[in-house]
Amino acid sequence: MKPIKNISSIVTTIKAQKIVGWVIVFAVFMFGFYLRFEDFTDWKESPFLFKYQKEYQMANFDSYYYLLAANDVDNNTYDTLDENRNIPYGVERPVIPPLISLLALLFSKLTGYSISTIAIFIPVVLAPTLAFVVYAFARALKLNILPSLLASLISVVSFTYVIRTRIGVFDTDCMNVVFLTLNTYLIYKYATQIGRAKYMYLSAAFLSAFLFFSWWNTASSVVLFSTLIPLSIAFMFYEERFTKITRGFIIVLAYVLALLLVHEQIGYYFQLVTGAVKDVFPVNGSITELEAVEFNVFINKTIGNKILMLLAFVGMIALAWKEKLKALLLTIPFLLAFLPLYSGNRFMIFSAPVLALGIGGFVQIPFSFKNNLAKLGGLALVVFVGFFAVKANYKTITHKLNKLAVFENRILLDELNNNTEQNSNIWTNWDLGYQVHHYLNRGTFADGELTNAGELLYHLSFPMATTDFRLSANFMNFYGARGMRDIYTAFGDKLKGLHFIKTVLSLTPKEAKLYLEQHEAELPVIANISSINDWLAYLYPTQERKTYLFLHQKMLQTVFWFKQGNTDLKTGKIVGLPLFMPFFNMKQESGMLKSNEAIISLANGFGQFKPNTKQSFQSILLYDGIKSTVKKYPNPSGNSLNDQRFVFQWNKPLSFGAAMSLEMSNTVFNKLYMQTPNTAHFKAVKLNAPLFQIWEVTPDRYVKE
């Protein structure tokens, strides 16, 4: 009976260890919850900074996409086509609304709290569940309880993962990492189990993959192949129910079906990540989420310390050596974790479980020895590395949050709400798109959608970057009603189609009629257009919805609209210098324009800027609120100090000046912003530069003779 008692005691001890282990994992989950929740104290104490229209604001722009979907479902207005996005085409939405939106709506109904309140807490609760998955995965990799607990802890304190899943970030990132890690874990268990358990894990993997596919519906190709690749490896090498030939055939068939399903999306993402986008319309500006990061930045924004990164690498090598062929099952998490070093820094969140398991693998090394001294050293290592990992990022993560990234847009949204018609379209930069949809229910021409970004953003930016008021207004009117797809299809060449539109819309309808008559033989075939009058009605449409051009100071910080709209489409290069340097509270005194940062001489066009920079200007434009006066400073022969690339402009009523490139000075954006001209094509609605301007677009109207 003695051996039976010993066995019973061992079993009891093992069960107790498992229970204690999972209890500690729950404590890790709560710590991860705290790191994401701790800012809420500031939210409650300063509602002015964190609420808008009596509801909590989201912490980033993309969150409003999911919040709007939740509200539309709640109001029974959810449709598969969102007509307020990417005017005039709209944007297709999934038949089944995003799961994160449905989840917020469900808990709103159950608790009675508003959707926005539930939305800000969803990432706080869901993201730390990674602790449970990483712990289970570490145990499956044969790590002892203490290294597994350490891996669990490190996964939830990864800096970028916390920042992208903290309170208010109502985005799919809060479960993307969890699902990817869970899928890989379940497939790993399928590969390593036998009997009934093997297929239970396979069934669970399919269910998890389906939920992941539904959750991250905007990146279905990434979801599909992140599941299919490890599953095909497991099926090929660890499934014995079929012959190798049969397994190979099934795998090839699965890849063919997957490619047929998402080949366009995966091809587009591949081009974005590699920078090999073949398009007439390049993106001449940085998309932050797709930029690569340097290795030091990667360390600081993930695990937080070079020593910890080194330990993680050693641990990953140790795990790969131990797992041998099964290490191939971890290929996708590893590739996504380190992809930001090449392109796509948004994927840094996927480094959290990979680096955590690497650390766990390193700390497991002393536990692999049988002597107690090594295990004692392992225990000390767990404590030291755990403390070091938390300390590396803790202060940065818990730094007091002053305001949300979207805070500054509230003034702009108020002005749009008060000064534009309800049923109207807003022509402005894409950053405002989702908020304009959610709060104002107005249409916009671009937002955070990346598909076909180059073409979309060129069409958005060109009217602001052109020098011609008539062309600018007429193009906005035409594009808002017709778009460019029919023109591009009819001409069979986007450059030819765009040239035609620019040429015609720079003319009055009367002038355009003469032009079309002279080139009638060259006009392409477009449905329902059979005469010159039809062409004129098509090119100068009358719209029920007004279009407002909304210019604001944030657009001058990056001047992305200039870079994109002033692109030579034959070479892909920006024409001119994208330079605009504002100077506030600038006064005229004793023949000088003076501000705290600069002094500009009106006598010779030379300026001195803080801290100790000198610059000359080709000309200085002085606007007194009624008329503009231009002082030119020709470049004398042999005078290398006079720089002909730059001009300076000063708006006296606004006490606002700006140094800019010559090309920038001639744009419609700048002429409206700095000189508020009297033009027939833009009607001033509210002008409050340098903060913002609202102009009603008043294009030429065609009246049939």
Side-chain angles (χ1 to χ4, degrees), residues 470 474 504-518 532-533 536 540 700-705:
R470 169 172 278 115
N474 286 344
V504 175
L505 296 184
S506 64
L507 306 173
T508 65
K510 188 174 182 179
E511 293 169 336
K513 182 178 182 181
L514 294 175
Y515 176 86
L516 293 172
E517 289 173 345
Q518 292 170 1
I532 297 298
N533 284 334
L536 291 170
Y540 299 90
D700 291 326
R701 299 297 183 189
Y702 167 67
V703 179
K704 189 173 181 180
E705 296 177 357

Side-chain angles (χ1 to χ4, degrees), residues 348-501:
M348 276 194 290
I349 59 172
F350 292 102
S351 68
V354 173
L355 297 179
L357 289 172
I359 291 287
F362 175 82
V363 175
Q364 175 64 29
I365 295 173
F367 285 96
S368 301
F369 296 97
K370 293 184 178 180
N371 65 77
N372 292 331
L373 185 61
K375 292 181 179 179
L376 187 61
L379 175 60
L381 195 58
V382 168
V383 175
F384 174 76
V385 173
F387 173 79
F388 206 36
V390 173
K391 183 178 182 297
N393 287 324
Y394 184 78
K395 284 187 177 180
T396 308
I397 290 173
T398 58
H399 179 73
K400 184 175 177 63
L401 183 64
N402 294 319
K403 58 184 176 181
L404 301 173
V406 299
F407 171 77
E408 293 177 352
N409 289 349
R410 300 190 314 178
I411 295 175
L412 304 181
L413 293 169
D414 282 340
E415 295 297 341
L416 283 173
N417 191 38
N418 295 331
N419 296 286
T420 62
E421 293 184 3
Q422 177 66 36
N423 188 32
S424 62
N425 298 324
I426 311 299
W427 197 291
T428 190
N429 64 314
W430 66 340
D431 284 347
L432 277 175
Y434 289 142
Q435 286 183 291
V436 168
H437 305 151
H438 175 71
Y439 289 119
L440 310 183
N441 194 30
R442 267 68 157 180
T444 65
F445 297 83
D447 47 45
E449 174 65 46
L450 288 177
T451 305
N452 206 27
E455 182 174 323
L456 186 68
L457 294 176
Y458 180 85
H459 295 151
L460 180 74
S461 303
F462 163 72
M464 295 181 279
T466 186
T467 62
D468 186 343
F469 287 119
R470 169 172 278 115
L471 173 58
S472 176
N474 286 344
F475 183 87
M476 290 184 197
N477 181 59
F478 172 78
Y479 185 84
R482 315 291 190 199
M484 291 293 291
R485 292 176 186 173
D486 289 344
I487 287 291
Y488 290 156
T489 300
F491 277 89
D493 183 298
K494 290 183 178 180
L495 289 180
K496 288 182 179 178
L498 185 62
H499 176 74
F500 169 78
I501 287 297

Side-chain angles (χ1 to χ4, degrees), residues 273-416:
V273 168
T274 59
V277 178
K278 304 292 184 183
D279 197 347
V280 173
F281 302 94
V283 177
N284 268 329
S286 60
I287 299 176
T288 306
E289 290 189 344
L290 297 178
E291 291 180 347
V293 296
E294 296 179 355
F295 190 55
N296 286 338
V297 175
F298 179 80
I299 293 173
N300 292 334
K301 292 193 173 184
T302 54
I303 205 162
N305 185 278
K306 292 180 181 178
I307 295 175
L308 293 176
M309 181 63 74
L310 178 62
L311 300 185
F313 272 122
V314 173
M316 283 185 278
I317 293 170
L319 285 175
W321 181 265
K322 181 170 70 73
E323 292 295 316
K324 295 181 173 59
L325 184 62
K326 292 194 293 292
L328 291 176
L329 299 171
L330 306 178
T331 301
I332 294 300
F334 182 87
L335 290 176
L336 288 179
F338 293 100
L339 179 62
L341 296 173
Y342 177 71
S343 179
N345 67 66
R346 70 153 297 158
F347 290 102
M348 276 194 290
I349 59 172
F350 292 102
S351 68
V354 173
L355 297 179
L357 289 172
I359 291 287
F362 175 82
V363 175
Q364 175 64 29
I365 295 173
F367 285 96
S368 301
F369 296 97
K370 293 184 178 180
N371 65 77
N372 292 331
L373 185 61
K375 292 181 179 179
L376 187 61
L379 175 60
L381 195 58
V382 168
V383 175
F384 174 76
V385 173
F387 173 79
F388 206 36
V390 173
K391 183 178 182 297
N393 287 324
Y394 184 78
K395 284 187 177 180
T396 308
I397 290 173
T398 58
H399 179 73
K400 184 175 177 63
L401 183 64
N402 294 319
K403 58 184 176 181
L404 301 173
V406 299
F407 171 77
E408 293 177 352
N409 289 349
R410 300 190 314 178
I411 295 175
L412 304 181
L413 293 169
D414 282 340
E415 295 297 341
L416 283 173

Side-chain angles (χ1 to χ4, degrees), residues 32 64 67 90 164 262 272 340 363 367 385 391 466 560 625 632:
Y64 286 98
L67 187 62
R164 291 187 69 99
V262 296
L272 280 179
V363 175
F367 285 96
V385 173
K391 183 178 182 297
T466 186
F560 178 81
K632 295 186 177 182

